[in-house]
Amino acid sequence: MDRITKDKLVSDYKKIFFNKFKTYPDIISIAPGRVNIIGEHTDYNFGLAIPTAINKWIITMISDRNDNQFNIHSVNYDKMISFSFNDLTKSDELWEKYIKSTIYIVNKKYKLNNGFDMLIGGNIPIGFGMSSSAALEVSIVSAILDKYCDKYDQYEILKICNVVEKEILGIQSGILDQYASIFSKNKKFLLIDFNSNTHEYFDSNIKNCSWVLVNSMISRDLVSSDYNIRVLECNEGLDLINKLKNEKTSFNKLSLDDIELVKKNKKLYCRLLHFYYENKRVRSMKKEISNGNKYNVGQLLLESHFSLSKRYEVSCREIDTIISMSKKHPGFYGGRIMGGGFGGCTINLVENNLKKDFISYIKNEFYKKFEYNIKVEEVFFSEGLDVLTDL
Ligand code: GLA
């Protein structure tokens, strides 16, 4: 696994920054990717989730300019783009669009006085459900706000990122990824309530186990997936219930009796059932992780996977096969598809002394069936957003 440390990444990027811009950065913002233990497709309906940040990051470095020019160097694409305020809405490639849109939205609200030199790079795999784009937004927004705005809080970063996603990129997403990137604490699990936008931390008492990511290598991007359709279907289901009950209820107040009202529409019924039970699983998961009951944690993960695959229909053949294969391994307690879905990774709880064997078993079995190599690695948790100003 790519175990480069945060400090090493920062020091490597500082050197690249100097090579490209012949000056040192004034500010460095480091935003991690995340895994989501449970609570999938609940955030945009004001539900619950338990994500946590991982030891892979997107880093933004900025140094001030005294003109209206923006020079942005992407380490990952090894490319420099230069533009002025007038060009913030024109972009040729998706990564460029993310960067310009984010600067555009911050500028719209905070009216920047000048441009800057900026370096962006990181080691979060792109398009596999570990939130590389959310981390990119968080690192850019926090770097600019920290450098140019006197007062802001972390919820402001969340708000700006969500505007970028919804208004510019056209993804009706929730704030799970950005929330985890900002608020995670190392070695803690984060339980977020998206109805109140509040969170709590809790400890894991699971012993002798690791969290392992199995990457199907099926890349997905939310814009072109059915993600937005799922958001619409849930709203349609809620509207129908409100109409039939002739009153206005909200997602977080839905009861099973309410959901039964839309039973005739199988699709909407299944979408809402997923939401209802997934939130219940989040609460149970907190209890089971805190109590260290790895068997029950595994069962909750598998129930969540079944629901995401059959009721919410956001899985795919490769991922369902990975879960079926994993179930046959003695070291596997449970796992599920993670993130937006339609590909990406499964997150799995695996017994430590069988971990190595599990990893090679899954790789081999998968290759036998699909004839391409997948990546399987243990995941390590990390601290949330870090902004360095004392450089
Ligand atoms: C993506 C979105 C999140 C969330 C998850 C599904 O990662 O960006 O907001 O909806 O999918 O839980």
Side-chain angles (χ1 to χ4, degrees), residues 111-126:
K111 297 276 170 280
L112 302 173
N113 290 325
N114 52 276
F116 43 71
D117 293 330
M118 179 190 259
L119 174 143
I120 294 186
N123 61 346
I124 309 175
I126 298 171

Side-chain angles (χ1 to χ4, degrees), residues 268-292:
L268 302 187
Y269 178 64
C270 284
R271 305 298 190 244
L272 293 179
L273 276 186
H274 166 75
F275 174 72
Y276 179 84
Y277 284 114
E278 186 75 353
N279 283 317
K280 282 202 173 310
R281 283 189 283 270
V282 171
R283 293 202 189 284
S284 309
M285 186 61 98
K286 181 191 164 192
K287 201 173 102 215
E288 300 302 349
I289 290 180
S290 307
N291 290 341

Side-chain angles (χ1 to χ4, degrees), residues 9-28 59-63 65 71-73 75 80 117-120 391:
L9 211 54
V10 169
S11 90
D12 288 353
Y13 286 4
K14 267 184 173 167
K15 286 180 202 142
I16 303 179
F17 192 96
F18 188 81
N19 280 339
K20 296 288 165 194
F21 301 115
K22 304 288 169 265
T23 179
Y24 295 101
D26 309 327
I27 196 153
I28 301 178
I59 299 185
T60 295
M61 300 184 168
I62 289 185
S63 125
R65 291 183 62 88
N71 300 314
I72 318 285
H73 176 71
V75 179
M80 173 90 82
D117 293 330
M118 179 190 259
L119 174 143
I120 294 186
L391 300 169

